[in-house]
Amino acid sequence: MKTVGVLALQGDFEAHARALQEAGAQTRLVRKASELAQVEALVIPGGESTTMLRLLEDEGLFEPLREFGRERPIFGTCAGAILLASDVFRPAQPALGLMDIAVERNAYGRQIESRVVRLQPEPEFVREAGDGELEAVFIRAPIIRRTGPGVRVLLRYLGDPVLVAEGLHMAATFHPELSADRRVHRLFLRLVEQNKVRAE
Ligand code: GLN
């Protein structure tokens, strides 16, 4: 069984740990750099990316996390997606730069701070994760405004990418851990499995 870490500095890490377990993984909460050595992949949950960034710096986790991401898969959701990006704007802030995406924070505006929608998956998602509509919960979500040439778009909402994958990593601007559908977490575990095969 895979052990997937969940960054547990802030945000809804407990819900992610449960979702990963339901998808068939073993989980471990990660709060210190030394704990990264005990997991083969990591989820960075939603929350507040500015707060998380400050905590990462306080805990001396920013650089170790970047190092980890050079070899191991990371799945960032919402604030976690913002942390994975190479470019964050409105307002600008530093990020790990592990995915070639540009992200605008809180981009759906105040009126639609949160919403639950149903998405029609892109063909690639259907191939890898199975067919059928998918519920997506958005909470003060960012919008992915640019994707680099190596980025695969797996789900879209109103034309914008909301689930993307590139190399080892995956990012969602919504909260898959808050819905009952486990296809997104299973997709990440597939990525972890593929990385393992490559590493052996
Ligand atoms: N708006 C938050 C941020 O900028 C992200 C919100 C979320 O993770 N649900 O960090």
Side-chain angles (χ1 to χ4, degrees), residues 30-109:
V30 171
R31 296 194 169 90
K32 295 197 295 259
S34 59
E35 290 165 338
L36 286 172
Q38 285 139 33
V39 299
E40 57 190 286
L42 188 76
V43 168
I44 306 182
E48 230 304 307
S49 59
T50 312
T51 309
M52 244 189 262
L53 203 55
R54 189 166 44 73
L55 294 170
L56 284 177
E57 273 154 13
D58 289 354
E59 299 297 321
L61 254 167
F62 188 84
E63 274 309 319
L65 212 54
R66 207 204 291 260
E67 281 299 311
F68 181 87
R70 293 207 174 103
E71 293 181 353
R72 301 277 178 204
I74 301 182
F75 177 28
T77 59
C78 206
I82 297 172
L83 289 175
L84 282 178
S86 51
D87 185 16
V88 179
F89 60 101
R90 228 172 278 163
Q93 69 185 16
L96 295 164
L98 289 168
M99 291 185 78
D100 190 8
I101 56 175
V103 169
E104 178 183 347
R105 295 179 60 201
N106 302 308
Y108 290 102

